[in-house]
Amino acid sequence: MSEKKASIEIDIPSKLQETNNKSSKPSFSCKEWILCVWKFAKEDINRVLYSLKMGFAVLLVSLLILCQAPYQVFGVNIVWAILTVAIMFEYTVGATFGRGFNRAFGTLAAAILAIAIGELALSTGGIAEPIIIGVSIFIVGVITTFIKLLPSFVPYESGFRIILFTYCLIIVFGYRMGSPFRTAMDRLYSIAIGGIIAVAVNVFIFPIWAGEQLHKELVNNFNSVADALEECVKKYLEDDGSEHPEFSNTVVDEFPDEPAYRKCRSTLNSSAKLESLGNSAKWEPPHGRFQRFFYPWLEYVKVGAVLRYCAYEVMALHGILHSEIQAPYNLRITFQKEIQEATSDATELIRYLGKDICNMRRSLKTSLLKRVHSSTERLQRAIKVHSYLLTSANELHDNSSQTILSTSSDLSNQPVEPDNKCIEKSYNPPSQPNYATTELQRESYHEMMRKQSRRRLYSWPSREVEAFENEGGLSSDFIPRMQTLQSTATLSLATFTSLLVEFVARLDHLVEAVENLSKTAKFKQEAL
């Protein structure tokens, strides 16, 4: 027997190439760093305002130490005011109020506890005083650390942290100075001064309201989901696979040609941001368009959660768009009209919901919702009527298996042609009254594969078209295998349409959530 020996080539990079790779590593550029910082600041001017306000607040507190007159009044304890400003001052007004509450509650609780324990230890005197103080510090540290780990006390975690270190400082300084009450009072008025300055600067100088930020973020998320759905469906219907980049390279580049996809992905990652803004907005007084106490900010968070529930379907559709197993292009355009109508109506409804929240109005959405349901039903009927296009390969395999096997033995001595005419002569597929069926039968498997992409495959484990061509002939299982690959590819279209229908089904929950928000927030009723 003659055996072919495979040759293996090993490409060893030269030292010159290694040095070139090392020299091509990106180096730090001051100009690029400045441009990056400038772009970051330009995206949101509030970032610059927040930094300027922080510096101004710290400057005001520092003047109480730098100037001689106030320093003689407050003394060295005014340093606690600087620490308070650094701890309390947050990006939004609501977050500052929330942090201020934790700071005030923690300081007051620690002061009362320190005064009581300090006076008790002082009355004992002698050796017992430091023992009582040490044991109390241990107990307070254990209790506060354990309580802040409980889920219900997570929002007040900073308050318990303040209780711990404030108590320790007051009790220790009181022990050395001999007066826990005087030490606690000095800390209290210093902290009060710092808190007042932090709140005044944050509220009266270019305030950044958490409620406004939450409102705008939610509206932007609605537009992002609508844009991403439109972009995904458009690319799926227009892409014939002739020039498609390799999937691995596309993932590394994070789909640079799809900006709407990146916005939708940021919507999925906005859960923590919306929840944080909602918790901060609860502390804010009535302001701007939100002239109500106890405004239902948590309803915004609930709407955002339902919107992310819809965005998951968009991400799944995007996965089908960039998957390696793709339906033939002529099969996709068979349902192009129905898919486009369902997508257009769904995106129109999403944008309309976002516009209602933006304008704080309450309008009837029954007609839009009915239109979305009607277009989706038309898509489902089209899939049902043309379902034979999605299952023709399986039916042929079941009804003509014997004919295929006999034909494949005759074809094994012939070279592989890029046309399917020899296969079509071997058996007569069931005739269908649709023009798309004849098109599917006319286009060969090899042409469909090449048109999709050189890298896209029709089955897993993957096998390229070239692997079939290089065999020099057709084996007995080639035609059944080819039909299996074709059937697997058509299932991609069925998956895409089912995900689109599921997206529309989830819109009902989104409409209901927006309606609950408009009721609880008392949006203005739109005149009929």
Side-chain angles (χ1 to χ4, degrees), residues 59-80:
L59 175 61
L60 287 180
V61 179
S62 300
L63 291 177
L64 299 178
I65 299 177
L66 298 176
C67 297
Q68 189 65 25
Y71 180 74
Q72 292 178 353
V73 176
F74 299 108
V76 73
N77 289 322
I78 201 64
V79 175
W80 286 70

Side-chain angles (χ1 to χ4, degrees), residues 393-394 396-398 400-409 411 423 427 445 459 468 474-488:
N394 290 333
L396 293 175
H397 178 64
D398 294 337
S400 309
S401 58
Q402 297 297 330
T403 308
I404 291 172
L405 292 175
S406 61
T407 306
S408 60
S409 61
L411 291 173
I423 301 175
Y427 60 92
Y445 174 70
S459 178
F468 293 106
L474 297 178
S475 60
S476 60
D477 61 340
F478 172 74
I479 296 176
R481 190 184 310 168
M482 181 188 71
Q483 293 176 343
T484 303
L485 298 179
Q486 289 178 332
S487 176
T488 305

Side-chain angles (χ1 to χ4, degrees), residues 190-255:
S190 299
I191 292 171
I193 293 174
I196 292 172
I197 292 176
V199 171
V201 172
N202 212 339
V203 172
F204 297 108
I205 301 178
F206 298 106
I208 304 174
W209 301 101
E212 287 283 354
Q213 296 283 325
L214 176 61
H215 189 81
K216 294 178 182 178
E217 184 71 20
L218 184 61
V219 173
N220 292 335
N221 288 348
F222 271 87
N223 295 329
S224 298
V225 172
D227 294 341
L229 179 62
E230 267 187 350
E231 182 183 73
C232 181
V233 174
K234 181 181 178 181
K235 290 179 71 67
Y236 185 78
L237 295 177
E238 293 181 355
D239 181 22
D240 60 353
S242 57
E243 294 182 1
H244 202 284
E246 189 175 352
F247 181 73
S248 59
N249 295 335
T250 309
V251 172
V252 173
D253 296 336
E254 295 184 348
F255 307 101

Side-chain angles (χ1 to χ4, degrees), residues 214 217-218 221 270-278 301 304 308:
L214 176 61
E217 184 71 20
L218 184 61
N221 288 348
S270 64
S271 174
K273 183 178 181 180
L274 292 181
E275 188 174 353
S276 176
L277 289 174
V301 181
R308 286 193 303 276

Side-chain angles (χ1 to χ4, degrees), residues 237-303:
L237 295 177
E238 293 181 355
D239 181 22
D240 60 353
S242 57
E243 294 182 1
H244 202 284
E246 189 175 352
F247 181 73
S248 59
N249 295 335
T250 309
V251 172
V252 173
D253 296 336
E254 295 184 348
F255 307 101
D257 59 334
E258 301 179 22
Y261 160 75
R262 295 197 298 271
K263 291 182 180 179
C264 183
R265 187 177 59 182
S266 65
T267 300
L268 295 177
N269 299 330
S270 64
S271 174
K273 183 178 181 180
L274 292 181
E275 188 174 353
S276 176
L277 289 174
N279 292 330
S280 299
K282 292 189 299 183
W283 296 96
E284 294 178 347
H287 60 277
R289 296 184 296 172
F290 313 101
Q291 297 294 333
R292 279 183 56 196
F293 286 99
F294 306 107
Y295 197 82
W297 295 113
L298 293 182
E299 291 296 326
Y300 281 82
V301 181
K302 293 179 181 178
V303 173

Side-chain angles (χ1 to χ4, degrees), residues 294-403:
F294 306 107
Y295 197 82
W297 295 113
L298 293 182
E299 291 296 326
Y300 281 82
V301 181
K302 293 179 181 178
V303 173
V306 179
L307 183 62
R308 286 193 303 276
Y309 187 61
C310 298
Y312 291 138
E313 294 297 321
V314 179
M315 299 299 290
L317 290 171
H318 187 269
I320 297 295
L321 171 64
H322 291 282
S323 64
E324 295 193 5
I325 302 177
Q326 291 290 322
Y329 175 66
N330 54 1
L331 182 59
R332 277 181 279 167
I333 62 175
T334 305
F335 307 97
Q336 181 177 11
K337 181 181 178 181
E338 290 79 6
I339 293 176
Q340 286 180 339
E341 287 180 355
T343 303
S344 177
D345 293 339
T347 53
E348 183 181 359
L349 176 60
I350 295 174
R351 290 194 177 98
Y352 192 83
L353 293 173
K355 191 175 181 181
D356 277 358
I357 296 177
C358 180
N359 298 328
M360 299 181 67
R361 70 182 182 188
R362 183 181 175 188
S363 59
L364 294 176
K365 311 169 187 66
T366 308
S367 59
L368 283 176
L369 195 58
K370 286 183 178 179
R371 191 190 309 171
V372 174
H373 289 167
S374 299
S375 59
T376 307
E377 289 175 1
R378 286 194 295 270
L379 174 60
Q380 290 176 305
R381 285 197 298 269
I383 294 293
K384 181 179 180 181
V385 170
H386 303 89
S387 60
Y388 56 86
L389 297 177
L390 306 177
T391 59
S392 58
N394 290 333
E395 292 175 357
L396 293 175
H397 178 64
D398 294 337
N399 299 331
S400 309
S401 58
Q402 297 297 330
T403 308

